[in-house]
Amino acid sequence: MLKSFIVAEIASNWEGNLSTAKKIIRKSKQAGADAVKFQKRFPDECVPETKKLEPRNTPWGEMTYLDYRHRLEFGVKEYKEIDDFCQKNNIDWFVSAWDHSSVDFMKQFNPIAIKIPSDKMNDLKFLKKTQELNCPIILSSGGSSEDVIEAAISVVGKDN
């Protein structure tokens, strides 16, 4: 019988607060999760130009979508703390990477995997970049066509 590997999706639910992120990690472990998954973005790189100045209602009031994305992102200090916290609590962690800089960022952490968001499935240069992490790649196909899925698999390969 195959053993399930349970991943708790944290996404941006920590709202830029490290204490909240740690609480979610702890609760995920208590609930039986094997790993937690965050999302890593460099907003200046991955937010489309047409959305950067778009107004957004946030827990901190109205701001541009770009400012909102910056407000949520953790940097090296926070991810080192998450890495230490997860090690102490015996739970793995990884991220969905949204841009080339996020892949480079993750090189310092030796992730157990990297997840490709469905809207990055057709970015074959990005998919190739993720192979630099030398870890399992999880493709999220979302509403991708069969052609896009086949092209993505041809880049990352099933055994790569």
Side-chain angles (χ1 to χ4, degrees), residues 110-128:
N110 193 25
I112 64 157
I114 193 79
K115 183 177 174 280
I116 308 302
S118 56
D119 64 342
K120 298 297 285 184
M121 282 281 287
N122 62 354
D123 185 342
L124 302 183
K125 283 185 178 179
F126 177 73
L127 294 176
K128 187 75 175 157

PDB file of all heavy atoms in Angstrom, residues 110-128:
ATOM      1  N   ASN A 110      17.938  24.106   0.185  1.00  0.00           N
ATOM      2  CA  ASN A 110      17.877  22.685  -0.122  1.00  0.00           C
ATOM      3  C   ASN A 110      16.451  22.140   0.043  1.00  0.00           C
ATOM      4  O   ASN A 110      16.197  21.271   0.876  1.00  0.00           O
ATOM      5  CB  ASN A 110      18.880  21.915   0.769  1.00  0.00           C
ATOM      6  CG  ASN A 110      19.090  20.508   0.283  1.00  0.00           C
ATOM      7  OD1 ASN A 110      18.903  20.212  -0.882  1.00  0.00           O
ATOM      8  ND2 ASN A 110      19.481  19.640   1.188  1.00  0.00           N
ATOM      9  N   PRO A 111      15.514  22.655  -0.758  1.00  0.00           N
ATOM     10  CA  PRO A 111      14.111  22.262  -0.580  1.00  0.00           C
ATOM     11  C   PRO A 111      13.854  20.794  -0.896  1.00  0.00           C
ATOM     12  O   PRO A 111      14.545  20.202  -1.708  1.00  0.00           O
ATOM     13  CB  PRO A 111      13.371  23.173  -1.572  1.00  0.00           C
ATOM     14  CG  PRO A 111      14.381  23.485  -2.616  1.00  0.00           C
ATOM     15  CD  PRO A 111      15.710  23.535  -1.909  1.00  0.00           C
ATOM     16  N   ILE A 112      12.829  20.239  -0.257  1.00  0.00           N
ATOM     17  CA  ILE A 112      12.447  18.847  -0.523  1.00  0.00           C
ATOM     18  C   ILE A 112      11.771  18.727  -1.877  1.00  0.00           C
ATOM     19  O   ILE A 112      11.696  17.645  -2.442  1.00  0.00           O
ATOM     20  CB  ILE A 112      11.539  18.265   0.579  1.00  0.00           C
ATOM     21  CG1 ILE A 112      10.204  19.010   0.642  1.00  0.00           C
ATOM     22  CG2 ILE A 112      12.239  18.256   1.921  1.00  0.00           C
ATOM     23  CD1 ILE A 112       9.088  18.219   1.254  1.00  0.00           C
ATOM     24  N   ALA A 113      11.228  19.853  -2.376  1.00  0.00           N
ATOM     25  CA  ALA A 113      10.546  19.888  -3.675  1.00  0.00           C
ATOM     26  C   ALA A 113      10.373  21.350  -4.064  1.00  0.00           C
ATOM     27  O   ALA A 113      10.612  22.246  -3.250  1.00  0.00           O
ATOM     28  CB  ALA A 113       9.180  19.204  -3.594  1.00  0.00           C
ATOM     29  N   ILE A 114       9.942  21.545  -5.276  1.00  0.00           N
ATOM     30  CA  ILE A 114       9.537  22.876  -5.737  1.00  0.00           C
ATOM     31  C   ILE A 114       8.234  22.678  -6.488  1.00  0.00           C
ATOM     32  O   ILE A 114       8.084  21.714  -7.237  1.00  0.00           O
ATOM     33  CB  ILE A 114      10.620  23.547  -6.614  1.00  0.00           C
ATOM     34  CG1 ILE A 114      10.330  25.020  -6.821  1.00  0.00           C
ATOM     35  CG2 ILE A 114      10.789  22.843  -7.927  1.00  0.00           C
ATOM     36  CD1 ILE A 114      10.710  25.887  -5.673  1.00  0.00           C
ATOM     37  N   LYS A 115       7.260  23.529  -6.234  1.00  0.00           N
ATOM     38  CA  LYS A 115       5.976  23.409  -6.923  1.00  0.00           C
ATOM     39  C   LYS A 115       5.882  24.503  -7.973  1.00  0.00           C
ATOM     40  O   LYS A 115       6.225  25.655  -7.719  1.00  0.00           O
ATOM     41  CB  LYS A 115       4.810  23.524  -5.953  1.00  0.00           C
ATOM     42  CG  LYS A 115       3.484  23.336  -6.652  1.00  0.00           C
ATOM     43  CD  LYS A 115       2.330  23.376  -5.677  1.00  0.00           C
ATOM     44  CE  LYS A 115       1.013  23.339  -6.413  1.00  0.00           C
ATOM     45  NZ  LYS A 115       0.629  24.644  -6.949  1.00  0.00           N
ATOM     46  N   ILE A 116       5.407  24.124  -9.133  1.00  0.00           N
ATOM     47  CA  ILE A 116       5.209  25.051 -10.236  1.00  0.00           C
ATOM     48  C   ILE A 116       3.727  25.422 -10.279  1.00  0.00           C
ATOM     49  O   ILE A 116       2.881  24.550 -10.454  1.00  0.00           O
ATOM     50  CB  ILE A 116       5.601  24.406 -11.584  1.00  0.00           C
ATOM     51  CG1 ILE A 116       6.999  23.798 -11.543  1.00  0.00           C
ATOM     52  CG2 ILE A 116       5.442  25.421 -12.716  1.00  0.00           C
ATOM     53  CD1 ILE A 116       8.102  24.747 -11.182  1.00  0.00           C
ATOM     54  N   PRO A 117       3.407  26.708 -10.100  1.00  0.00           N
ATOM     55  CA  PRO A 117       2.005  27.122 -10.202  1.00  0.00           C
ATOM     56  C   PRO A 117       1.474  26.874 -11.619  1.00  0.00           C
ATOM     57  O   PRO A 117       2.229  26.941 -12.592  1.00  0.00           O
ATOM     58  CB  PRO A 117       2.051  28.627  -9.913  1.00  0.00           C
ATOM     59  CG  PRO A 117       3.366  28.865  -9.241  1.00  0.00           C
ATOM     60  CD  PRO A 117       4.301  27.818  -9.773  1.00  0.00           C
ATOM     61  N   SER A 118       0.188  26.620 -11.717  1.00  0.00           N
ATOM     62  CA  SER A 118      -0.392  26.264 -13.013  1.00  0.00           C
ATOM     63  C   SER A 118      -0.196  27.348 -14.066  1.00  0.00           C
ATOM     64  O   SER A 118      -0.024  27.036 -15.244  1.00  0.00           O
ATOM     65  CB  SER A 118      -1.872  25.918 -12.877  1.00  0.00           C
ATOM     66  OG  SER A 118      -2.581  26.987 -12.287  1.00  0.00           O
ATOM     67  N   ASP A 119      -0.169  28.612 -13.656  1.00  0.00           N
ATOM     68  CA  ASP A 119      -0.005  29.642 -14.684  1.00  0.00           C
ATOM     69  C   ASP A 119       1.450  29.815 -15.127  1.00  0.00           C
ATOM     70  O   ASP A 119       1.742  30.633 -15.993  1.00  0.00           O
ATOM     71  CB  ASP A 119      -0.609  30.978 -14.254  1.00  0.00           C
ATOM     72  CG  ASP A 119       0.051  31.605 -13.059  1.00  0.00           C
ATOM     73  OD1 ASP A 119       0.753  30.908 -12.319  1.00  0.00           O
ATOM     74  OD2 ASP A 119      -0.140  32.821 -12.861  1.00  0.00           O
ATOM     75  N   LYS A 120       2.373  29.015 -14.580  1.00  0.00           N
ATOM     76  CA  LYS A 120       3.773  29.006 -15.022  1.00  0.00           C
ATOM     77  C   LYS A 120       4.092  27.766 -15.860  1.00  0.00           C
ATOM     78  O   LYS A 120       5.211  27.590 -16.307  1.00  0.00           O
ATOM     79  CB  LYS A 120       4.732  29.060 -13.822  1.00  0.00           C
ATOM     80  CG  LYS A 120       4.621  30.304 -12.973  1.00  0.00           C
ATOM     81  CD  LYS A 120       4.976  31.553 -13.728  1.00  0.00           C
ATOM     82  CE  LYS A 120       6.456  31.675 -13.920  1.00  0.00           C
ATOM     83  NZ  LYS A 120       6.864  32.919 -14.562  1.00  0.00           N
ATOM     84  N   MET A 121       3.093  26.915 -16.085  1.00  0.00           N
ATOM     85  CA  MET A 121       3.312  25.662 -16.810  1.00  0.00           C
ATOM     86  C   MET A 121       3.813  25.868 -18.235  1.00  0.00           C
ATOM     87  O   MET A 121       4.543  25.047 -18.763  1.00  0.00           O
ATOM     88  CB  MET A 121       2.017  24.848 -16.871  1.00  0.00           C
ATOM     89  CG  MET A 121       1.698  24.120 -15.603  1.00  0.00           C
ATOM     90  SD  MET A 121       2.643  22.617 -15.443  1.00  0.00           S
ATOM     91  CE  MET A 121       1.845  21.594 -16.660  1.00  0.00           C
ATOM     92  N   ASN A 122       3.425  26.975 -18.855  1.00  0.00           N
ATOM     93  CA  ASN A 122       3.827  27.185 -20.246  1.00  0.00           C
ATOM     94  C   ASN A 122       5.090  28.037 -20.372  1.00  0.00           C
ATOM     95  O   ASN A 122       5.488  28.389 -21.475  1.00  0.00           O
ATOM     96  CB  ASN A 122       2.678  27.786 -21.054  1.00  0.00           C
ATOM     97  CG  ASN A 122       2.257  29.143 -20.541  1.00  0.00           C
ATOM     98  OD1 ASN A 122       2.744  29.601 -19.515  1.00  0.00           O
ATOM     99  ND2 ASN A 122       1.324  29.765 -21.224  1.00  0.00           N
ATOM    100  N   ASP A 123       5.749  28.354 -19.259  1.00  0.00           N
ATOM    101  CA  ASP A 123       7.004  29.112 -19.269  1.00  0.00           C
ATOM    102  C   ASP A 123       8.160  28.098 -19.227  1.00  0.00           C
ATOM    103  O   ASP A 123       8.664  27.744 -18.163  1.00  0.00           O
ATOM    104  CB  ASP A 123       7.053  30.066 -18.079  1.00  0.00           C
ATOM    105  CG  ASP A 123       8.258  30.977 -18.081  1.00  0.00           C
ATOM    106  OD1 ASP A 123       9.251  30.686 -18.794  1.00  0.00           O
ATOM    107  OD2 ASP A 123       8.223  31.986 -17.349  1.00  0.00           O
ATOM    108  N   LEU A 124       8.549  27.627 -20.391  1.00  0.00           N
ATOM    109  CA  LEU A 124       9.522  26.534 -20.470  1.00  0.00           C
ATOM    110  C   LEU A 124      10.902  26.948 -19.962  1.00  0.00           C
ATOM    111  O   LEU A 124      11.615  26.122 -19.377  1.00  0.00           O
ATOM    112  CB  LEU A 124       9.586  25.991 -21.896  1.00  0.00           C
ATOM    113  CG  LEU A 124       8.247  25.473 -22.453  1.00  0.00           C
ATOM    114  CD1 LEU A 124       8.435  24.895 -23.841  1.00  0.00           C
ATOM    115  CD2 LEU A 124       7.594  24.473 -21.511  1.00  0.00           C
ATOM    116  N   LYS A 125      11.289  28.207 -20.117  1.00  0.00           N
ATOM    117  CA  LYS A 125      12.566  28.682 -19.552  1.00  0.00           C
ATOM    118  C   LYS A 125      12.524  28.606 -18.029  1.00  0.00           C
ATOM    119  O   LYS A 125      13.495  28.227 -17.384  1.00  0.00           O
ATOM    120  CB  LYS A 125      12.863  30.117 -19.991  1.00  0.00           C
ATOM    121  CG  LYS A 125      13.364  30.240 -21.391  1.00  0.00           C
ATOM    122  CD  LYS A 125      13.735  31.684 -21.695  1.00  0.00           C
ATOM    123  CE  LYS A 125      14.291  31.810 -23.094  1.00  0.00           C
ATOM    124  NZ  LYS A 125      14.632  33.204 -23.408  1.00  0.00           N
ATOM    125  N   PHE A 126      11.391  28.988 -17.464  1.00  0.00           N
ATOM    126  CA  PHE A 126      11.226  28.915 -16.013  1.00  0.00           C
ATOM    127  C   PHE A 126      11.295  27.463 -15.534  1.00  0.00           C
ATOM    128  O   PHE A 126      11.952  27.156 -14.541  1.00  0.00           O
ATOM    129  CB  PHE A 126       9.901  29.558 -15.591  1.00  0.00           C
ATOM    130  CG  PHE A 126       9.622  29.452 -14.131  1.00  0.00           C
ATOM    131  CD1 PHE A 126      10.322  30.212 -13.215  1.00  0.00           C
ATOM    132  CD2 PHE A 126       8.656  28.581 -13.661  1.00  0.00           C
ATOM    133  CE1 PHE A 126      10.070  30.116 -11.853  1.00  0.00           C
ATOM    134  CE2 PHE A 126       8.393  28.466 -12.304  1.00  0.00           C
ATOM    135  CZ  PHE A 126       9.099  29.241 -11.401  1.00  0.00           C
ATOM    136  N   LEU A 127      10.611  26.574 -16.241  1.00  0.00           N
ATOM    137  CA  LEU A 127      10.637  25.159 -15.861  1.00  0.00           C
ATOM    138  C   LEU A 127      12.065  24.617 -15.891  1.00  0.00           C
ATOM    139  O   LEU A 127      12.476  23.874 -14.994  1.00  0.00           O
ATOM    140  CB  LEU A 127       9.739  24.338 -16.786  1.00  0.00           C
ATOM    141  CG  LEU A 127       8.244  24.630 -16.705  1.00  0.00           C
ATOM    142  CD1 LEU A 127       7.488  23.813 -17.738  1.00  0.00           C
ATOM    143  CD2 LEU A 127       7.712  24.385 -15.318  1.00  0.00           C
ATOM    144  N   LYS A 128      12.814  24.981 -16.906  1.00  0.00           N
ATOM    145  CA  LYS A 128      14.210  24.557 -17.002  1.00  0.00           C
ATOM    146  C   LYS A 128      15.003  25.093 -15.816  1.00  0.00           C
ATOM    147  O   LYS A 128      15.820  24.386 -15.226  1.00  0.00           O
ATOM    148  CB  LYS A 128      14.805  25.035 -18.334  1.00  0.00           C
ATOM    149  CG  LYS A 128      16.180  24.513 -18.599  1.00  0.00           C
ATOM    150  CD  LYS A 128      16.137  23.065 -19.005  1.00  0.00           C
ATOM    151  CE  LYS A 128      17.509  22.578 -19.386  1.00  0.00           C
ATOM    152  NZ  LYS A 128      17.634  21.140 -19.259  1.00  0.00           N
TER     153      LYS A 128
END
